[in-house]
Amino acid sequence: MTAGILRGPAAVADGSGGFSIEGVEIDPPGPGEVRVALRAAGVCHTDHASLSWAGPLLLGHEGAGCIESLGDGVQGLAVGQPVLLNWAIPCGVCFQCSRGADSLCERTHEVDGGRLGDSRAHAGATRWRGQALERSFHLGTFASHTVVRAEAVTPLPPDIAVDVACILGCAVMTGVGSVVNAAAVARGASVAVLGCGGVGLNVIQGARIAGARTIIAIDRVAERLEHAVRLGATHAWQVRDDDAEHRLLVAAVRALTDGRGVDHAFEATGVPALAFLPLRLARNGGDALQVSGAHGPATVELTQLFWNKRYLTPLYGGCVPARDFPRLFDWVRRGELELASLITHRYPLERLGQAFDDMLTGRSGKSVLQIA
Ligand SMILES: [Zn+2]
Ligand SMILES: [Zn+2]
């Protein structure tokens, strides 16, 4: 059976802050590519930020669905197979992939002055109003179908629901991976987590799975802290308006760690002004990790790096798909990694605007678009 061009709805950003749901044309998969019928797609702050990237852009970089058709030469995948999509697509052969740093793949990420390193590294032609359409992170999951390189999909085990697994490929991987890969949190360690949103809650889950003894959740919102405690935080600190300099917070974290500070302090708020706050929460010789991908200027008093502290900015939890996704699936199956309760809202694709509003106002936790 030969696959033909498909037409379906997709969310297309106009490059100046707006978007619309419109029909697009999706080509059949070429050699080494697969076409995926999307079932569900996670909504992330990055999707909202991407509304003002150069457009037009087909939105969405988290998602899961089933293989609809296979291009020539694709091995190990079958039509109908449920798969998870992964936005940091490793090529397997570049400098970074060769040293095991798949999430930094040079053929997938922008190198060379902002141009894509290798146009062959991203698959598929999607057209909109007769012109080729860029897709968010070479995926474009806010659509009925997407064509991707086969390396962008990971088969999902049959016992993990596709419309729950769809969030594994961004917030969960970033949070858990930052703990187990980047920080390598050891059993008995102490951890502090600034911000208990989609990424922060998964830092907390990762720390619990790693066996951390002290896990301090920090947020402004009481309900988020309650969720953090249900997912494994041993202590919760609600940030106070009268503590703008964070002195009370730093003192509270010290008090819980013999006056020393934690072994690993994570920033997961996305607020540039908080990017260096983990340095004040970490002990001498400890780690401060900025895992939110915050952009913008921030200043640091250099003595906060004293002494022997490490400041790390792991991308996507250092994800190596072939190593990390099977491990996440295992933890989900054993009930150690909770997914369902992270998803607070579901919307049809046409209500993406509402999903953005609810996310920005804090009414929703993690939102999912139910596509099919
Ligand atoms: Zn994301
Ligand atoms: Zn590569």
Side-chain angles (χ1 to χ4, degrees):
M1 190 189 70
T2 317
I5 293 173
L6 283 174
R7 288 171 186 79
V12 181
D14 61 16
S16 46
F19 73 92
S20 53
I21 310 293
E22 296 195 35
V24 298
E25 280 189 345
I26 303 123
D27 270 356
E33 301 172 358
V34 298
R35 189 161 63 187
V36 176
L38 285 149
R39 180 86 58 83
V43 182
C44 169
H45 282 271
T46 301
D47 297 311
H48 188 262
S50 69
L51 290 177
S52 49
W53 297 354
L57 178 75
L58 203 167
L59 294 169
H61 64 284
E62 301 178 19
C66 294
I67 302 266
E68 182 269 343
S69 52
L70 298 168
D72 288 343
V74 174
Q75 306 284 323
L77 294 168
V79 171
Q81 163 80 55
V83 290
L84 173 69
L85 288 159
N86 164 42
W87 60 260
I89 309 165
C91 75
V93 297
C94 76
F95 169 80
Q96 295 289 1
C97 286
S98 301
R99 59 183 280 270
D102 292 25
S103 66
L104 303 179
C105 175
E106 292 177 340
R107 295 176 84 186
T108 292
H109 291 293
E110 292 185 357
V111 292
D112 245 357
R115 297 282 312 155
L116 286 163
D118 180 350
S119 60
R120 284 212 39 79
H122 61 118
T126 303
R127 277 175 308 279
W128 166 78
R129 298 181 185 176
Q131 61 175 315
L133 189 59
E134 277 297 320
R135 296 170 306 150
S136 184
F137 294 91
H138 317 311
L139 297 182
T141 56
F142 295 175
S144 63
H145 294 80
T146 183
V147 178
V148 297
R149 286 160 51 214
E151 303 89 82
V153 304
T154 300
L156 277 169
D159 52 347
I160 298 183
V162 175
D163 59 359
V164 173
C166 66
I167 64 169
L168 281 166
C170 190
V172 178
M173 184 63 234
T174 299
V176 176
S178 295
V179 171
V180 300
N181 294 334
V185 169
R187 191 155 288 284
S190 54
V191 167
V193 185
L194 272 168
C196 298
V199 172
L201 288 174
N202 285 297
V203 171
I204 286 164
Q205 297 210 81
R208 170 177 42 74
I209 291 168
R213 187 184 308 140
T214 304
I215 304 173
I216 307 167
I218 302 157
D219 203 290
R220 292 194 161 276
V221 182
E223 297 82 62
R224 289 185 188 219
L225 289 170
E226 286 162 20
H227 201 168
V229 168
R230 285 197 296 278
L231 290 176
T234 57
H235 301 81
W237 175 265
Q238 190 167 7
V239 173
R240 294 165 43 164
D241 288 338
D242 65 351
D243 190 28
E245 301 295 318
H246 307 295
R247 289 197 184 88
L248 297 174
L249 165 63
V250 171
V253 169
R254 293 250 169 100
L256 290 168
T257 50
D258 299 327
R260 192 174 288 129
V262 291
D263 300 321
H264 313 275
F266 296 81
E267 182 280 320
T269 66
V271 178
L274 299 177
F276 293 116
L277 184 51
L279 285 169
R280 293 169 61 197
L281 307 179
R283 63 164 165 78
N284 286 346
D287 298 332
L289 297 100
Q290 194 256 100
V291 302
S292 70
H295 287 54
T299 54
V300 62
E301 163 55 54
L302 286 173
T303 56
Q304 290 175 12
L305 283 150
F306 294 177
W307 294 104
N308 298 32
K309 294 183 184 177
R310 295 192 306 164
Y311 189 80
L312 303 170
T313 57
L315 175 65
Y316 195 25
C319 176
V320 174
R323 174 194 66 198
D324 291 331
F325 288 125
R327 197 158 49 156
L328 293 181
F329 299 154
D330 245 25
W331 286 328
V332 171
R333 271 208 208 90
R334 295 207 300 256
E336 292 181 43
L337 184 60
E338 167 63 30
L339 298 182
S341 79
L342 296 176
I343 301 172
T344 60
H345 290 64
R346 288 182 186 271
Y347 308 83
L349 179 60
E350 309 80 67
R351 294 188 61 225
L352 175 60
Q354 185 69 47
F356 279 145
D357 282 353
D358 291 346
M359 177 178 76
L360 295 174
T361 56
R363 277 192 294 273
S364 59
K366 183 73 184 172
S367 299
V368 163
L369 297 178
Q370 200 72 37
I371 291 172

